[in-house]
Amino acid sequence: MKNRIKSLASEYAPDLISCRRHLHSHPELSFQEYETAKFIQQKLDEYGIAYRAGVAGTGIVALIEGKNPSSKVIALRGDIDALPIEEANNVPYKSQHHGVMHACGHDVHTTVALGAARILQQVRDEFEGTVKILFQPGEEKHPGGASLMIQDGALENPKPQAILGLHVLPALETGLLGFHAGKYMASADEIYITVKSKGGHAAAPHLTADTILIASNLVVSLQQIISRNNDPFSPSVLSICAFNGGFTTNVIPSEVKLMGTFRAMDETWRFKAHELIRKQATELVHAMGAEIDIDILVGYPTLYNNETVTATARKLAEEYMGAENVGDTEMRMGAEDFAFYSQVIPACFFRLGTGNKAKGITAGVHTPLFDVDERSLEIGAGTMAWLATQFK
């Protein structure tokens, strides 16, 4: 089976590159992936694969049944949306959509999922069970397409016993894979604060509450939420990333707006911290004579890689790629909406090396110069197909 999958992945490699370049040239923003969804459906039709479209809007769920379809069900996920970034690469497949770019590698994820689907369809008489492939919209935008896919029944009828997903990693050379069991990626919540007073003349601060001073104190004070309340062995980050207020040199503004993000690796601490942020911010602002509006937008949860599923996936990856090409990746404070799946069924989210220092392919994700070594497409598609067929 392994040699059969490798042979098919190699045979399909040129089409995988063509597919990825088409997707890269025609990126679409979160929940607007209408043409992308049509392209995926055209490919699935071409491969003879059954699917349900219109899941969570532009999502698609494909189903490939092997022998004894009810004996096991494994899900694979590929996200399909792009980012609001203007591409700076000078390549033939450069984005044709102004201000939109596949800068996080979702064109690769979609292509890999399509490639795996095509391979699985060809070997369906040689593996046990069913493989469900989720082409998911809106990974990059709240509330996360994964949560909406779940709500729309993507994990039901049939229900997978495990779900696997991968993500490009430009820091990892092409040909390598990375795994991490347990807590892997952080939750991500958005913080919006407005400090308000009547405002006034800069020469008479005693006649108003100084919103700039109060907001400045608040930015510093909020860091104590992490340093004095969180278990130091549990990673957590609170960053205020926007401070907007005032318009001239001699007016104390009537309001100052702050925006930031809160990250955690523990769900219990996550929501305790929300309470502490609200309490500390409100009490400090009131004590200094101003009013406050505070909103914490609950985002993606912690991504948890089930230890058993991850150990199995890693062992199978070593069989397919060679143990020397499979390693560990570190815990990351970035967030991923694949975490929603990991909270409801056993999951493994791993890294696909896409970098090539010799060719200068080193730019990070979410940057205008991001690109990948396209040899990673064959590796990703083959690996995902192998994992799906061999998972017990």
Side-chain angles (χ1 to χ4, degrees):
M1 174 68 87
K2 179 170 67 176
N3 290 337
R4 174 79 169 132
I5 289 176
K6 285 194 171 185
S7 176
L8 287 169
S10 177
E11 178 185 341
Y12 298 154
D15 190 57
L16 291 173
I17 292 172
S18 175
C19 175
R20 183 257 167 172
R21 291 188 176 191
H22 172 85
L23 292 167
H24 192 89
S25 298
H26 302 86
E28 294 177 295
L29 295 175
S30 301
F31 304 114
Q32 300 174 31
E33 313 93 337
Y34 305 109
E35 295 303 316
T36 301
K38 289 180 184 177
F39 178 80
I40 293 168
Q41 291 173 60
Q42 289 168 2
K43 286 294 182 181
L44 293 174
D45 287 336
E46 178 186 328
Y47 305 154
I49 297 172
Y51 61 86
R52 176 165 70 100
V55 184
T58 50
I60 299 163
V61 177
L63 210 61
I64 302 161
E65 294 185 339
K67 298 181 293 184
N68 304 316
S70 61
S71 61
K72 70 173 184 180
V73 182
I74 302 298
L76 308 179
R77 178 270 213 159
D79 39 3
I80 68 175
D81 56 326
L83 285 162
I85 293 176
E86 181 70 22
E87 181 162 15
N89 290 312
N90 185 19
V91 291
Y93 48 88
K94 182 177 180 178
S95 171
Q96 296 178 20
H97 296 170
H98 176 69
V100 185
M101 177 190 176
H102 270 296
C104 201
H106 295 186
D107 53 339
V108 173
H109 304 166
T110 302
T111 301
V112 163
L114 281 169
R118 188 180 185 186
I119 293 169
L120 290 165
Q121 180 72 353
Q122 291 300 310
V123 301
R124 62 188 183 281
D125 295 332
E126 302 175 45
F127 71 87
E128 297 276 339
T130 297
V131 181
K132 176 178 274 192
I133 303 183
L134 279 56
F135 295 92
Q136 178 215 299
E139 191 280 324
E140 298 286 357
K141 187 174 182 179
H142 182 86
S147 66
L148 302 180
M149 292 282 281
I150 294 169
Q151 291 175 25
D152 207 0
L155 298 182
E156 305 298 331
N157 302 317
K159 182 175 182 178
Q161 65 194 59
I163 185 168
L164 309 173
L166 57 70
H167 199 292
V168 299
L169 183 57
L172 194 66
E173 285 285 292
T174 297
L176 302 178
L177 302 174
F179 289 81
H180 184 100
K183 296 175 182 178
Y184 180 40
M185 298 184 72
S187 61
D189 304 314
E190 299 174 8
I191 302 170
Y192 299 91
I193 296 173
T194 303
V195 178
K196 301 182 294 184
S197 78
K198 64 180 181 180
H201 199 293
H206 60 293
L207 299 179
T208 187
D210 187 341
T211 51
I212 295 289
L213 177 63
I214 296 169
S216 299
N217 274 271
L218 183 55
V219 171
V220 175
S221 175
L222 285 175
Q223 294 306 315
Q224 297 173 31
I225 299 292
I226 305 297
S227 65
R228 299 295 89 185
N229 293 277
N230 181 44
D231 181 345
F233 292 100
S234 178
S236 190
V237 175
L238 194 163
S239 294
I240 300 299
C241 301
F243 189 119
N244 299 307
F247 53 89
T248 188
T249 61
N250 62 351
V251 176
I252 295 173
S254 60
E255 65 178 35
V256 172
K257 292 183 178 294
L258 306 178
M259 293 188 291
T261 183
F262 174 72
R263 309 292 175 103
M265 282 289 183
D266 180 271
E267 289 293 298
T268 300
W269 157 245
R270 176 191 186 190
F271 291 102
K272 178 184 177 182
H274 290 184
E275 295 175 4
L276 291 171
I277 291 167
R278 288 191 183 94
K279 182 175 185 293
Q280 187 157 314
T282 301
E283 291 181 353
L284 184 148
V285 171
H286 285 171
M288 297 185 74
E291 297 299 319
I292 183 173
D293 289 334
I294 181 167
D295 184 29
I296 300 176
L297 189 61
V298 176
Y300 303 168
T302 305
L303 196 161
Y304 185 82
N305 275 336
N306 178 275
E307 285 88 350
T308 301
V309 171
T310 302
T312 300
R314 178 170 180 156
K315 180 176 181 296
L316 291 171
E318 290 175 349
E319 292 175 5
Y320 186 78
M321 294 290 295
E324 70 278 8
N325 295 313
V326 179
D328 298 317
T329 54
E330 71 281 1
M331 188 183 293
R332 309 175 75 87
M333 296 309 292
E336 234 286 351
D337 81 344
F338 187 86
F340 285 110
Y341 303 121
S342 79
Q343 293 288 327
V344 295
I345 61 172
C348 174
F349 192 66
F350 63 97
R351 297 286 166 169
L352 173 69
T354 56
N356 188 322
K357 293 178 182 177
K359 293 183 177 180
I361 303 175
T362 59
V365 296
H366 291 226
T367 67
L369 291 171
F370 172 77
D371 204 354
V372 301
D373 183 335
E374 291 177 320
R375 293 179 302 151
S376 61
L377 300 169
E378 175 184 339
I379 294 167
T383 300
M384 289 293 261
W386 170 253
L387 295 180
T389 61
Q390 300 303 302
F391 223 89
K392 305 297 183 184

